[in-house]
Amino acid sequence: MLNFRHLYYFWMVAKEGGFARAAERLEMAVQTISTQVRDLERSLGHQLLKPAGRGVALTEAGQAAFARAEEIFERGQRIADEVREAGSAPVARLAVGLSDGISKLAAHALLAPVLATPGLRLVCHEGEFDELLSELALHQLDMVLAGQAAPHHPAQRLSSQRIARSSLQWFGPASLVRKSARERFPQSLQELPVLLPTSHAPLRSTLDAWFQEIGVRPRVVGEFEDSALLAVFAARGLGVFPVSDLGAEDVGLVRGLRLLGLCPGLHEEVHALWSRRGQHHPLVRRIVAAADADN
């Protein structure tokens, strides 16, 4: 069994860059810490530290051990923080899965009805649709936001409801969104560099069909799973991009973007999916109820 006290002393020595500084930080004798670290090296069968000037440096084996120790003690601190928080105030935890295909900018707007909840602890997971459905069925998630409804699967017993359907807008940097481009939109998309969601997003097939319908062959220079990342690259001048009305509310957070044109005939849909247990979660019910009130 790994001695975590020995690992902690090694971690402190590595962080402080020497035994003396670690001993001062821990208010312990240098010899005590040195002995504990040597015991750790013997138990692992590898030298972890080597002399470097007036201090020490990590060996290759030490770098591997330090990376894991960093992870372990960072999580340990998190446990202490979470226990302290749980003991001092009630926590309203909501674990949400965000499917790769939906606009993350729109997701923020859809979660807005619960963001002011006292004691809220919001946990967001991003992943592929099927992977998130498995986590939902295993009650690791309370709700999933996706661009499609829950498939019929008797074993999973999932329910879903469309909670948003919003039209699309196109944005881009000022260097590309000029008066002539706005006046000739959407035909100007054939001349501008275009950023699009990746092909697995439901919205992408809608856009491809629209391009064919209006006779535009866009010059696609980038494809992104994350709409927020797409907006950042657009703001840096890479190209113009589509976003739903919901997501457009947060586009203003990315400086330098201008409206190119509107697509009232195109829509992005977002569905909320939940398990039998999730339907009783008060925050899930509030999100769905708020969407019903808006529709």
Side-chain angles (χ1 to χ4, degrees), residues 215-244:
V216 168
R217 298 181 63 182
R219 181 164 59 90
V220 180
V221 299
E223 299 179 64
F224 298 80
E225 292 183 354
D226 188 325
S227 60
L229 183 63
L230 187 156
V232 170
F233 273 83
R236 296 297 183 269
L238 188 60
V240 299
F241 70 102
V243 65
S244 69

Side-chain angles (χ1 to χ4, degrees), residues 227-265:
S227 60
L229 183 63
L230 187 156
V232 170
F233 273 83
R236 296 297 183 269
L238 188 60
V240 299
F241 70 102
V243 65
S244 69
D245 289 346
L246 281 172
E249 295 181 13
D250 285 335
V251 164
L253 299 176
V254 183
R255 297 180 60 185
L257 291 175
R258 291 185 178 179
L259 177 65
L260 173 62
L262 306 177
C263 296

